[in-house]
Amino acid sequence: MNVNSPSAIAPTDPVQLAPSYRLPIGLLLLALPLVWLQVWVGAAVGLFGVFLLVQTATLRLHFTDTALDIFHGETRIRRFPYQDWQNWAIFWPPVPILFYFKEVNSIHFLPILFDPKALQACLEQRCPTVSE
């Protein structure tokens, strides 16, 4: 199921989050005035924006009943079983830009390249014992 809205998500339904281009486009827009102030800074922010734009177009988060899967196109590149999660948070809720989660042996940071409300709803349903 591809999700654009967090309503009507059942905890056992597999969910693929819809992409959100807000963060990469915001960085690209920020890079324009920065180029006038400092060329190298503006170029670096612009290149990072382009990188995130490509990632937004190619990466997908799939929530299953047991794990968070990250896909690049049709290929699953990582699986994160919920049973290994210790904590998660979405940083800066007014303008969500970063998703953090900690597993037993590692910490992960992902830019918010997906619908933040659907992400929050899926996390609350599938990892309710994990504190924010």
Side-chain angles (χ1 to χ4, degrees), residues 105-117:
N105 294 321
S106 59
I107 295 173
H108 305 280
F109 291 94
L110 299 172
I112 300 286
L113 303 176
F114 315 97
D115 177 19
K117 291 180 182 170

Side-chain angles (χ1 to χ4, degrees), residues 73-117:
E74 298 296 319
T75 306
R76 184 176 71 198
I77 56 175
R78 288 293 303 262
R79 170 165 272 208
F80 301 102
Y82 305 130
Q83 67 188 19
D84 294 342
W85 289 36
Q86 294 181 332
N87 193 6
W88 64 267
I90 295 176
F91 289 113
W92 204 20
V95 182
I97 58 171
L98 195 61
F99 165 49
Y100 152 85
F101 67 98
K102 181 180 180 196
E103 289 185 295
V104 175
N105 294 321
S106 59
I107 295 173
H108 305 280
F109 291 94
L110 299 172
I112 300 286
L113 303 176
F114 315 97
D115 177 19
K117 291 180 182 170

Side-chain angles (χ1 to χ4, degrees), residues 52-75:
L52 289 180
L53 192 65
V54 170
Q55 295 300 317
T56 303
T58 59
L59 292 179
R60 295 292 173 262
L61 291 185
H62 290 241
F63 284 89
T64 67
D65 57 343
T66 60
L68 169 64
D69 295 332
I70 300 179
F71 281 80
H72 185 270
E74 298 296 319
T75 306

Side-chain angles (χ1 to χ4, degrees), residues 24-51:
I25 290 173
L27 285 174
L28 289 172
L29 292 174
L30 176 65
L32 294 175
L34 287 176
V35 167
W36 294 106
L37 296 174
Q38 184 66 275
V39 173
W40 293 109
V41 173
V45 171
L47 283 173
F48 188 57
V50 169
F51 170 75

